[in-house]
Amino acid sequence: MTTESVAPPSSTTEDIPSTVKRLRKTFATGRTRSIEWRRQQLKALERMIVENEAQIADALNQDLGRKPFEAWLADIASTAGEARDAAKNVGKWAKRKQRLLEFSQLPGRGWVEYEPYGVVLVIGAWNFPFALTLGPAVGALAAGNAVVLKPSEVAPASSALMARLVPRYLDTDAVAVVEGDGAVSQELIAQGFDRLCFTGGTEIGRKVYEAAASHLTPVTLELGGKSPVIVAADADIDVAAKRIAFSKLLNSGQICIAPDYVIADASIRDELVDKIRGAVEAFEAGDTSGKRIVNERHFDRLVSSLAATKGTVAVGGGSDASEIKIQPTVVVDPDLDEPLMRDEIFGPILPIVTVANLDEAIDFVNSRPKPLAAYLFTKTKSVRERVIKEVPAGGMLVNHLLFQFTTTKLPFGGVGPSGMGAYHGKFGFEEFSHRKSVLTKTTRPDLSAIIYPPYTDKAWKLARRLF
Ligand code: NAD
C-alpha cells in the first residue's frame, strides 16, 4: 500500500455512489477503528507528502506560481507535521477518560467514548490545496473514519496529483479522491455523509450547509472573511510593517487568514505606510512584475476593485493582464463602502484605514461580521487584553500573523460568518469524533428498587435527598 508500484483502483473511474458505498462497506467492517490502522494511515500520509515534495512543489508552481520555499512552508511542512503529530498522539487522544459521577449515579462508571462518525467528506479550497484537503483528512483519519477527499478544481495540477498519490499510499478501500467542481461537490453531499468538512468562501459555505441539512450531516465550515490588523499607537512599527507585508505577499495574498486590511492609529499611520513600502521593496528584491493571481476571474475582480477605489494608492497599483499579475499595493483610506472594504480581498492589495484611537479601532472591527482572524500589534499589556476581550474572531494573534494556522496545539476555525467548528492536532481528532456518553451500572444489589412503583412516601423522601 505504500509503494508507487502498486496499481491502485482509481476512484475517478468509479461513479460517486459506488465510491461512497465501497467506503461505507469498509467502515462497517470495523477496520478503520483500530488505532493501529489509524497510525499506519497517518504515517503513510506523512510519507506521501515528504517523499513527493518535489512533485507537490511543482504542482503548486503550476497552479499558483508558488516558490518552492513557500510551497514547503505552507503546504508541505504544515501538513506533514499535522500527520506526524496525530500518528504520535492518536492512541492517547482516543483513550477513554473516566468521569467522576455524582453520588446518586453510584455504583456506576461513566466516560466519553470517541466514536468515528463513519464516512467523512472533505471539500478543499485551492489556495493551499494540499494543506486544506489533506489537513482536515488527518483529523478524520485519526478519529477512525473513512474519508472522501474532493480537492478544488481551481488548482487542477494539485488536485490531479492528490488523485494519483493518495491511492498509492493510503488504504484504497477507506480513502478516495473524487475530482471535480461544485456540481461534483453537490452530488457528493447528496450521498448523505456522516460528517462533512468544507473549506471555502462564505457564500458557497451557505450552499454546502443547506445541502447537508437535508441529510442532517454535521458540518465543519472553514470559511473566509475580512481579517483586520489593528496597529496601535505604541506598536513596534518596524516589525509590524515587515510582518504585515510578508503575510500579504505570501501566496499573493490568497490566504483565508491574510491581513485583509489594516486599521492604523493616526499618529503612526504615515510611518507604517512608509515602512510597509520599504518592506515590500526589500522582499520583492527589485522584481516589480507583481504577484501571480490564481486565474483571470480573480485577477479581473481584484483589478476592478482597485479601479473603483476612492483611496490614495501609496504603493504599487499596477497590473499585467497577460501574466495575471498584480503589484503589491497599499491603498490609504479607501471609502468604507467600496469593494475593497466590502468584500474579502484575497489578493496582494492592502487597504489602510486611519482611526483616531483604540476605541475607534475596536468599534470598527465590531461593526463588521466576525472575522476568521483578528491581528493586533502593540507593546502594551492593557491594549492587548482589551482587544482580546472585546473583539470576537475565529482566532487572534498578537504581534505576528498567520502562525495561528501552523500550530497543532490550538484549534483553528472561524466563528459566525467565518465558519463553525475547528481542527488541528487533538482538536481535529475531536472534531471528527462523536463524543458518545457511556454509563455502566451494576445489577446486584438492585439499588434502583427505591424508584420502582408503587411509590411510597418513604421512597419519595429518599429520592428527593439523593437526586
Ligand atoms: P470556493 O468556495 O470557491 O470553493 C471551495 C470548494 O467548494 C471547491 O472545492 C469547490 O469545488 C467547491 N464548490 C464550489 N461550488 C460549490 C457548490 N455550489 N456546492 C458545493 N461545493 C462547491 O472557495 P475557494 O475560492 O476555493 O477559496 C477561497 C475562499 O475560501 C476564501 O473566501 C477564503 O477565505 C476561504 N478559505 C477559508 C479557509 C479556512 O480555513 N477558513 C482556508 C482557505 C480558504
Side-chain angles (χ1 to χ4, degrees):
M1 239 184 304
T2 59
T3 63
E4 300 256 338
S5 58
V6 178
S10 167
S11 55
T12 48
T13 58
E14 203 178 29
D15 66 16
I16 285 174
S18 308
T19 303
V20 178
K21 208 167 146 194
R22 186 163 55 82
L23 268 55
R24 281 201 186 292
K25 232 167 118 182
T26 309
F27 181 74
T29 65
R31 176 156 103 217
T32 66
R33 290 172 181 257
S34 98
I35 298 296
E36 207 31 57
W37 181 89
R38 303 184 200 189
R39 249 191 226 115
Q40 271 173 7
Q41 297 305 304
L42 292 163
K43 285 182 179 166
L45 185 57
E46 184 197 352
R47 237 184 359 264
M48 178 182 103
I49 297 159
V50 172
E51 289 176 6
N52 296 282
E53 179 176 336
Q55 286 192 62
I56 293 174
D58 186 48
L60 289 168
N61 183 35
Q62 280 181 56
D63 288 333
L64 301 161
R66 181 111 49 92
K67 293 190 172 82
F69 178 77
E70 293 180 1
W72 172 82
L73 183 69
D75 266 284
I76 296 166
S78 63
T79 314
E82 274 280 328
R84 195 179 317 122
D85 175 69
K88 188 170 147 215
N89 292 304
V90 63
K92 191 169 69 192
W93 296 339
K95 270 214 177 89
R96 292 176 179 174
K97 285 163 198 86
Q98 301 281 340
R99 311 289 303 167
L100 200 60
L101 296 174
E102 302 88 337
F103 182 68
S104 58
Q105 290 283 6
L106 300 177
R109 289 189 306 139
W111 68 87
V112 171
E113 184 86 13
Y114 287 105
E115 189 173 69
Y117 279 101
V119 186
V120 171
L121 172 62
V122 175
I123 303 176
W126 54 263
N127 56 334
F128 292 96
F130 294 90
L132 299 175
T133 311
L134 301 175
V138 166
L141 290 170
N145 298 287
V147 186
V148 173
L149 301 168
K150 209 299 284 170
S152 172
E153 75 284 8
V154 179
S158 302
S159 172
L161 184 59
M162 274 183 267
R164 269 202 318 278
L165 292 179
V166 165
R168 290 177 189 156
Y169 283 83
L170 302 180
D171 182 341
T172 49
D173 285 326
V175 187
V177 178
V178 175
E179 292 193 79
D181 58 7
V184 168
S185 296
Q186 286 291 344
E187 191 187 342
L188 280 163
I189 299 167
Q191 306 304 310
F193 279 79
D194 302 299
R195 173 117 208 157
L196 186 161
C197 177
F198 168 82
T199 303
T202 301
E203 284 319 308
I204 305 282
R206 231 183 274 282
K207 291 183 188 166
V208 167
Y209 199 10
E210 273 169 17
S214 64
H215 300 276
L216 291 180
T217 300
V219 294
T220 304
L221 298 177
E222 299 285 341
L223 308 178
K226 293 181 78 63
S227 297
V229 190
I230 298 175
V231 183
D234 71 313
D236 182 331
I237 305 299
D238 269 335
V239 171
K242 283 184 197 140
R243 292 182 179 181
I244 292 168
F246 164 77
S247 312
K248 193 68 174 178
L249 297 185
L250 195 69
N251 209 34
S252 309
Q254 302 165 122
I255 307 182
C256 55
I257 47 170
D260 188 275
Y261 64 96
V262 169
I263 307 172
D265 191 282
S267 62
I268 50 87
R269 203 268 322 269
D270 290 343
E271 185 189 353
L272 180 69
V273 172
D274 285 344
K275 288 186 169 161
I276 291 178
R277 182 185 300 109
V280 167
E281 282 167 8
F283 295 160
E284 291 300 275
D287 180 357
T288 55
S289 68
K291 311 299 286 179
R292 181 42 220 281
I293 304 305
V294 67
N295 57 27
E296 273 174 24
R297 182 170 63 86
H298 282 284
F299 173 84
D300 292 344
R301 174 182 63 78
L302 288 162
V303 169
S304 73
S305 297
L306 200 49
T309 189
K310 302 220 167 56
T312 307
V313 176
V315 178
S319 58
D320 177 349
S322 66
E323 301 249 340
I324 51 169
K325 282 183 169 181
I326 296 181
Q327 284 180 336
T329 298
V330 176
V331 177
V332 178
D333 287 334
D335 195 297
L336 299 183
D337 294 324
E338 68 177 59
L340 279 183
M341 288 309 295
R342 207 182 47 217
D343 309 321
E344 182 179 359
I345 294 172
F346 227 59
I349 304 170
L350 183 72
I352 296 188
V353 175
T354 315
V355 291
N357 50 42
L358 187 65
D359 290 338
E360 251 187 48
I362 292 174
D363 288 349
F364 188 90
V365 179
N366 289 346
S367 67
R368 292 168 163 248
K370 291 178 187 172
L372 182 58
Y375 300 108
L376 167 69
F377 281 87
T378 182
K379 286 188 275 195
T380 310
K381 188 176 168 203
S382 58
V383 171
R384 185 187 75 200
E385 289 306 308
R386 251 199 88 186
V387 174
I388 291 171
K389 290 206 169 76
E390 294 180 26
V391 172
M396 190 169 283
L397 178 45
V398 179
N399 290 329
H400 216 313
L401 305 97
L402 309 183
F403 279 88
Q404 75 272 34
F405 185 82
T406 57
T407 171
T408 57
K409 307 295 177 202
L410 293 171
F412 179 83
V415 58
S418 56
M420 60 182 74
Y423 68 115
H424 286 191
K426 182 171 186 243
F427 304 98
F429 164 82
E430 288 186 347
E431 185 74 3
F432 294 103
S433 300
H434 167 59
R435 283 177 303 166
K436 184 164 78 178
S437 298
V438 179
L439 203 53
T440 66
K441 297 280 194 183
T442 53
T443 53
R444 303 279 168 159
D446 187 7
L447 299 178
S448 292
I450 64 156
I451 57 165
Y452 297 153
Y455 307 117
T456 63
D457 282 351
K458 197 173 148 202
W460 199 1
K461 256 189 207 153
L462 191 60
R464 276 185 189 276
R465 279 168 67 185
L466 274 178
F467 297 107

